[in-house]
Amino acid sequence: MKIQTFMSTWLYCDHMSTYLARMISHNRSDSIRYANLFSSAFNELLEIAFRTRHPGGELACKVSRLGDVDRIELTFPCTIEERQFFEEAIARAQGSESRERYLHSVSGDLAPSREVVLLELAIDYNATLRLEEVDTNIIKLIVDLPLESLPH
Amino acid sequence: MSPHDHPPRFRTQFDPNNQEFSIAGVVRPQSIDELAPSITLLRDSIAQVRGVFYVNIKRLTQMNNTAFHVFSRVIIDACRTRPELKFVIITSSVVGWTTRKFTMLNGVEPNITVEEYDREFYPGQDFLEEGGFIPILRTQTRMTWRHERKILPRHGMRSGITMADICCGIGDFAVLVQKEFQPFRIVALDHSKSSLSYARKVASEFDVRGIEYTYGDASEMLLEDNQFDLVTCRHSLQIFNKPELILKELYRIVKPGGRVYVTNEKISQCLGEPRGESIQWTYEELSKLFAHFKMDLELGPKNRRYLIEAGFQDIRVESFMVTNLDGDPQEFADVVQSWEDTFAGEMARRRGDSAQFIERFRQGFQDHIFAALHPKGYAGWPIWVASGQKPL
């Protein structure tokens, strides 16, 4: 999907996350709960891509499953500064102080940055995050979500 | 197209009597400006209250971080400017992310706490969901199925439909329906994790496919509106203290033109001969015992009224009697024995009944068993069935 088409309509994030969540959840142990959780996480990732500052390129998304883990691979264009930001944010999200950072961010006065989303995925969803550089201005955000084993 | 082309898919409201602000639906704004009226309402609401301010999010199905941050910000600010005020956020255990996400706020401000509300609506659930009751539930379903398999087609059951079995318990009814009628899809929902776990195990062992077992609260379901051709809810309205809330949800999820099918008992009309008097006394007392725990085991004949009041039309009502002559009388006796064990056991003890009362109470169950197994005896357990159509 062209990123500009995607960015023309905010509701695409919601529609895509809801649709895909339903599609992949039917054979999970609790399809309704799983779809709700997956949609919640996936929508945040799509909103990250929606807010890219790069004007052109394409959005690509691949979802795969290995056992209890669903992997989302979201490829989208971004500026060099944004790529650097994501690299640092992912390192912090995987770091030992991620919870403190998250709480600090929630209690802060500033509007939430895209880092909060990554922190939340790591803390609340036990997600493992990774970044791959596809091209100078394109990144691939890889998120492993072990939703099936999340405590109720 | 912009976000403003669509009506908001969430609603916020404030109930001053309960000091409760509620947010329901899907809240995924692009910018906080879209939330301005709701944020103003939240601020104004907080300004009106003293003591405890409740934030009810049990019907909040989705909320993105943009919205979470702005709502949280208002509450955190209020904690700081009014330290005497407590904030209690009411979540539902059914929505997997809300409790975890909002509990984070307690790490920011201790005056913000999170409570999962679910238990309140199910005062008697723990009596009925203990593991020991499972074999008897299976027997009960087998006994009622002999009748229901003939009755169900008159209430909208047919092959190829999309159906939901709400309060599915251990899921055996859904399995029987799947085998007999081959619906296209069955969603089976219950609020007991142990029952669902059993249901999944059975489905897996017997390679039964096409049933989606899901954890949910019948009075606040995650299921979307107008999805199902048929929604069944068996023997369940009678054990909720607010059956009208469940019916409202059943109405919401069934398609226009689809039907909702309910079964309930009028337990005081369980009967048997010989020893009819003792049996009658015990079941009348059993009805009172359930009433003590806010469950109405006399609900069966009220099915019609409840369905009409919930907005259904073309109400169809019938009843059947499960008896000792349907199959093996020992099955009937086993079920009554399990009733005695549970109801004259833990349940009567928890009400504080005397030993003398319990002895007489137990005797009626034993007499019912006697009637069921007597070569010339007759024992019955009546069930009331009703269904209603959601208007087109």
Side-chain angles (χ1 to χ4, degrees):
Chain A
M1 187 180 198
K2 286 198 181 309
I3 194 79
Q4 286 195 325
T5 309
F6 173 61
M7 289 166 67
S8 68
T9 304
W10 174 253
L11 276 175
Y12 284 158
C13 301
D14 175 64
H15 291 170
M16 287 163 70
S17 61
T18 305
Y19 177 76
L20 194 71
R22 272 190 213 144
M23 195 167 66
I24 67 152
S25 300
H26 70 95
N27 59 354
R28 298 286 83 185
S29 62
D30 187 331
S31 59
I32 310 293
R33 177 178 182 271
Y34 198 91
N36 178 262
L37 278 171
F38 186 88
S39 170
S40 185
F42 186 38
N43 178 70
E44 295 293 348
L45 291 170
L46 289 171
E47 289 187 10
I48 283 180
F50 189 95
R51 296 186 195 279
T52 180
R53 290 170 197 139
H54 196 282
E58 294 201 331
L59 171 80
C61 179
K62 181 181 169 192
V63 176
S64 55
R65 175 171 294 163
L66 185 64
D68 281 351
V69 176
D70 280 339
R71 171 170 290 182
I72 300 170
E73 296 174 55
L74 199 61
T75 309
F76 58 96
C78 68
T79 62
I80 293 167
E81 294 76 26
E82 282 180 298
R83 194 188 70 214
Q84 204 170 349
F85 165 81
F86 283 123
E87 282 168 355
E88 290 168 9
I90 285 176
R92 285 192 289 265
Q94 308 282 65
S96 58
E97 292 178 356
S98 55
R99 187 183 167 83
E100 288 68 30
R101 271 194 88 79
Y102 178 75
L103 290 180
H104 181 72
S105 174
V106 169
S107 61
D109 288 333
L110 298 172
S113 80
R114 288 181 281 182
E115 183 183 348
V116 175
V117 173
L118 301 174
L119 286 167
E120 193 203 7
L121 286 172
I123 295 165
D124 261 5
Y125 294 81
N126 292 342
T128 310
L129 307 155
R130 193 154 57 86
L131 198 65
E132 273 182 17
E133 185 181 334
V134 178
D135 205 338
T136 317
N137 291 319
I138 302 173
I139 55 165
K140 186 192 278 185
L141 192 54
I142 301 168
V143 180
D144 285 343
L145 290 165
L147 300 182
E148 193 77 319
S149 56
L150 269 191
H152 241 290
Chain B
M1 195 163 66
S2 78
H4 305 288
D5 295 332
H6 295 267
R9 292 184 302 149
F10 67 93
R11 61 184 185 282
T12 49
Q13 61 183 44
F14 177 59
D15 171 3
N17 292 330
N18 293 317
Q19 301 203 146
E20 183 180 270
F21 180 85
S22 57
I23 317 170
V26 177
V27 195
R28 286 174 166 172
Q30 181 172 1
S31 81
I32 59 172
D33 298 344
E34 295 164 47
L35 302 175
S38 298
I39 294 303
T40 303
L41 178 64
L42 177 59
R43 283 205 181 96
D44 293 348
S45 306
I46 293 170
Q48 291 177 43
V49 304
R50 290 178 181 182
V52 181
F53 185 82
Y54 293 93
V55 182
N56 173 346
I57 56 163
K58 59 195 188 193
R59 298 209 66 163
L60 175 64
T61 50
Q62 294 292 352
M63 175 179 265
N64 67 4
N65 271 298
T66 304
F68 176 71
H69 188 270
V70 69
F71 279 107
S72 303
R73 191 67 254 169
V74 173
I75 294 169
I76 290 167
D77 285 348
C79 283
R80 289 169 186 173
T81 54
R82 295 184 60 193
E84 82 287 0
L85 201 57
K86 307 276 184 216
F87 289 84
V88 177
I89 298 174
I90 313 289
T91 63
S92 161
S93 63
V94 172
V95 185
W97 55 271
T98 48
T99 300
R100 276 201 306 279
K101 185 163 184 141
F102 281 85
T103 298
M104 289 288 182
L105 296 178
N106 179 256
V108 178
E109 284 294 335
N111 274 1
I112 304 172
T113 54
V114 173
E115 290 176 6
E116 282 186 345
Y117 88 109
D118 308 33
R119 278 281 169 185
E120 287 173 29
F121 276 143
Y122 307 97
Q125 190 180 44
D126 54 343
F127 290 123
L128 308 174
E129 70 174 24
E130 300 302 327
F133 217 64
I134 284 178
I136 232 60
L137 291 174
R138 289 189 70 172
T139 308
Q140 283 188 184
T141 305
R142 201 161 52 240
M143 287 162 64
T144 55
W145 179 250
R146 293 186 185 113
H147 301 265
E148 287 186 274
R149 63 188 284 265
K150 295 175 203 150
I151 288 171
L152 279 161
R154 296 198 283 273
H155 296 268
M157 179 66 82
R158 59 191 186 280
S159 68
I161 60 169
T162 298
M163 69 163 284
D165 184 31
I166 305 305
C167 309
C168 68
I170 55 171
D172 47 352
F173 175 74
V175 170
L176 290 166
V177 164
Q178 175 78 336
K179 284 185 182 163
E180 180 84 14
F181 296 102
Q182 288 100 41
F184 172 68
R185 180 186 180 213
I186 304 180
V187 173
L189 178 145
D190 202 88
H191 195 258
S192 161
K193 287 171 190 165
S194 58
S195 297
L196 285 172
S197 163
Y198 179 86
R200 290 190 186 108
K201 186 166 152 269
V202 169
S204 163
E205 281 173 5
F206 291 91
D207 197 27
V208 176
R209 295 174 192 209
I211 304 174
E212 295 171 43
Y213 291 104
T214 187
Y215 174 67
D217 171 3
S219 65
E220 304 275 353
M221 290 187 277
L222 279 183
L223 301 171
E224 288 168 26
D225 301 355
N226 306 319
Q227 267 200 67
F228 299 101
D229 300 295
L230 178 66
V231 176
T232 56
C233 183
R234 302 166 55 263
H235 286 66
S236 298
L237 295 181
Q238 61 187 25
I239 59 161
F240 291 105
N241 56 352
K242 295 177 182 172
E244 62 280 3
L245 292 183
I246 314 284
L247 274 167
K248 197 174 164 191
E249 281 290 271
L250 303 184
Y251 184 93
R252 182 180 68 75
I253 64 171
V254 73
K255 287 178 185 169
R259 298 190 75 82
V260 165
Y261 167 94
V262 298
T263 67
N264 289 292
E265 298 164 74
K266 182 174 171 66
I267 203 70
S268 65
Q269 291 189 356
C270 270
L271 51 84
E273 284 298 340
R275 304 184 182 175
E277 255 181 56
S278 161
I279 295 168
Q280 192 179 343
W281 182 86
T282 282
Y283 283 100
E284 281 170 0
E285 289 302 322
L286 180 57
S287 169
K288 292 176 197 165
L289 177 61
F290 269 76
H292 176 81
F293 291 103
K294 296 187 168 42
M295 293 182 268
D296 182 9
L297 251 60
E298 299 293 293
L299 196 142
K302 303 171 196 166
N303 284 341
R304 182 167 179 261
R305 171 168 67 79
Y306 274 114
L307 286 169
I308 291 170
E309 287 175 0
F312 292 97
Q313 61 185 25
D314 184 24
I315 313 289
R316 297 172 192 168
V317 179
E318 53 190 299
S319 60
F320 63 87
M321 179 83 81
V322 174
T323 79
N324 59 330
L325 307 181
D326 291 344
D328 181 357
Q330 189 59 50
E331 277 194 347
F332 194 101
D334 289 346
V335 166
V336 175
Q337 183 62 58
S338 78
W339 291 351
E340 183 196 328
D341 293 345
T342 304
F343 306 143
E346 177 61 20
M347 207 166 169
R349 267 200 298 277
R350 220 185 279 186
R351 186 172 63 170
D353 292 339
S354 67
Q356 194 182 5
F357 173 87
I358 290 175
E359 188 184 351
R360 189 177 172 194
F361 193 37
R362 284 187 183 277
Q363 187 57 49
F365 290 114
Q366 286 304 312
D367 289 338
H368 206 198
I369 291 170
F370 181 80
L373 298 178
H374 193 285
K376 296 179 194 168
Y378 182 74
W381 170 35
I383 311 286
W384 273 259
V385 173
S387 73
Q389 184 187 46
K390 183 171 176 175
L392 284 164

